[in-house]
Amino acid sequence: MKKLSVMLVAAAMLAPLPLKAQQLDLSTVTCKDFVTSDKDTIGLILMWIEGFYASQDAKPIVDFDKMKQNGGKLGEYCGKNPSHSLITAADDVVK
């Protein structure tokens, strides 16, 4: 949980998305917001998504290949559905 908090804080500090009190509420981010973000912000959000969807007992390993695959799937989904919530998109494509 601690690593997720650190990543979320980093994402909030760098993200050009809607911010409130240095927090980024990913439930308010649309697919359009995500795909039009800068490369660093997209990377931070993808890192957070990978951690969020990891199992409770997962080893502390960052699988960059998996993150890249999921990022591609998420980008494809979001390109077709720009008004959808990013979390809705992630629920559909991140496995």
Side-chain angles (χ1 to χ4, degrees):
M1 186 64 169
K2 184 177 179 181
K3 70 177 181 175
L4 291 178
S5 297
V6 170
M7 289 186 295
L8 186 57
V9 168
M13 292 173 65
L14 297 175
L17 299 171
L19 295 179
K20 181 179 179 184
Q22 294 300 313
Q23 294 180 354
L24 174 61
D25 182 353
L26 290 176
S27 69
T28 66
V29 176
T30 65
C31 277
K32 181 181 178 183
D33 294 332
F34 175 69
V35 298
T36 60
S37 294
D38 62 74
K39 182 180 174 181
D40 290 337
T41 300
I42 289 172
L44 288 169
I45 291 172
L46 287 174
M47 182 70 75
W48 181 89
I49 286 172
E50 289 300 316
F52 184 78
Y53 287 93
S55 67
Q56 181 81 14
D57 58 347
K59 293 182 179 184
I61 296 172
V62 178
D63 185 341
F64 291 104
D65 290 333
K66 181 180 175 189
M67 190 169 76
K68 183 178 179 181
Q69 289 173 346
N70 285 335
K73 291 176 190 175
L74 198 56
E76 184 177 331
Y77 178 103
C78 284
K80 294 176 183 174
N81 304 286
S83 64
H84 285 195
S85 158
L86 179 61
I87 297 301
T88 298
D91 285 343
D92 286 347
V93 301
V94 176
K95 305 289 185 239

